[in-house]
Amino acid sequence: MTSGMTSNMTPGVNKATGKPAIISMRNLRKSYGIGTPVETEVLHGIDVELAEGEFCALIGPSGSGKSTLLNLIGLLEPPTAGELSVAGQSTTGLNEQALTVLRGRHIGFVFQFHHLLPAFTALENVMMPAIIAHGVATAQDEAVAHDLLARVGLASHEYKKAGQLSGGQQQRVAIARALSLSPRLILADEPTGNLDTHTADDIFALLREFNRERGSACLIVTHDPRLAARCDRRIELVDGRLAASTSVAEPA
Ligand code: ADP
């Protein structure tokens, strides 16, 4: 139990949905340039819970702290203060190795500039998280990768190099890759930001489909109000704080 927790916040359980929380944040803060003359706090105490299976948009103006928050939740950067739990486990004091294990076990990433390995095939890219996690891709990992690529409509492109695919196709590969280890949470930073409207809608629909089918929670940074409106809930940041319209755990 953390010191800042109030009585209506049962740890690990989302107050509104009654479901376990996949992510729980208490008074999360992030500063850059600590100890330098340009030290700046960019997140000023964030309290949010995301329930298992929730499909949630993270919105707010440019510079409001959305990517920073996603990086903290994805265990890519440490918070400066506050408490962050992933799948019920507090991340405070965990070393890099433990964070990597927690990240690999529970979180899939879909970023705008997909970070695929361009010289590797679509299939190899989708198997990459398994290779990183187990040192080798098993026949089972390969079967999962084939299945996911078929599901995102790329069965006939499996053996093409990622660098030879279109932007929309690469983003489909990125989604298949994010799902390859069946994460309980998908973090997507502007997953449709560089795509035309039609392709963006397709990619968004895929995320929604996997959310409904597999129960993976999704937190999606988007500037597109149309897409945000189609999420179950919107978390809004303004200048590093939750906007008044965003409640701790209330679906929209
Ligand atoms: P958003 O994703 O909403 O556009 P960001 O999280 O990228 O916002 O940035 C929030 C604030 O933090 C901005 O003022 C940005 O300049 C600052 N910031 C982000 N990353 C760094 C960093 N590595 N070092 C210093 N400042 C940063």
Side-chain angles (χ1 to χ4, degrees):
M1 179 79 72
T2 54
S3 54
M5 203 173 282
T6 53
S7 58
N8 63 347
M9 290 179 183
T10 311
V13 176
N14 184 294
K15 181 162 65 83
T17 62
K19 288 186 183 169
I22 181 68
I23 291 294
S24 181
M25 293 167 243
R26 301 276 176 258
N27 198 21
L28 211 61
R29 292 173 183 272
K30 180 67 179 175
S31 297
Y32 287 114
I34 291 175
T36 74
V38 291
E39 177 169 336
T40 324
E41 188 175 86
V42 300
L43 292 176
H44 310 292
I46 306 290
D47 289 278
V48 168
E49 278 186 358
L50 194 69
E52 295 271 10
E54 253 195 305
F55 194 78
C56 184
L58 179 56
I59 59 175
S62 189
S64 58
K66 303 182 297 298
S67 294
T68 302
L69 187 61
L70 221 59
N71 286 342
L72 298 190
I73 296 172
L75 309 177
L76 300 170
E77 288 184 57
T80 312
E83 180 77 26
L84 170 67
S85 297
V86 175
Q89 182 174 351
S90 169
T91 60
T92 307
L94 294 186
N95 64 22
E96 205 47 57
Q97 196 189 355
L99 291 172
T100 302
V101 169
L102 194 60
R103 189 190 303 125
R105 189 171 295 156
H106 297 301
I107 304 176
F109 296 90
V110 182
F111 284 170
Q112 182 178 354
F113 300 105
H114 19 74
H115 303 303
L116 297 179
L117 298 170
F120 286 78
T121 66
L123 188 67
E124 287 164 338
N125 269 281
V126 176
M127 291 191 295
M128 207 52 76
I131 293 170
I132 292 167
H134 318 132
V136 64
T138 62
Q140 163 76 8
D141 294 325
E142 188 167 340
V144 167
H146 283 303
D147 180 50
L148 283 168
L149 282 166
R151 284 297 316 281
V152 300
L154 290 178
S156 58
H157 293 74
E158 288 184 343
Y159 296 103
K160 285 199 181 143
K161 299 262 193 315
Q164 293 166 349
L165 299 173
S166 72
Q169 288 169 335
Q170 291 192 29
Q171 203 57 305
R172 286 167 183 272
V173 175
I175 290 176
R177 182 186 57 180
L179 285 156
S180 62
L181 297 181
S182 301
R184 288 157 74 183
L185 173 66
I186 293 174
L187 297 177
D189 197 353
E190 301 261 14
T192 62
N194 56 349
L195 304 174
D196 63 78
T197 309
H198 180 69
T199 313
D201 282 356
D202 284 353
I203 294 294
F204 184 85
L206 264 177
L207 286 171
R208 186 49 135 169
E209 224 171 277
F210 283 118
N211 160 257
R212 292 216 165 105
E213 231 172 67
R214 304 179 178 216
S216 317
C218 290
L219 184 60
I220 305 172
V221 172
T222 182
H223 276 116
D224 187 336
R226 282 177 330 115
L227 298 183
R230 284 156 55 187
C231 292
D232 299 332
R233 179 158 70 114
R234 283 148 292 282
I235 293 171
E236 184 175 7
L237 282 179
V238 177
D239 291 336
R241 293 191 166 79
L242 290 183
S245 60
T246 305
S247 65
V248 171
E250 223 170 284

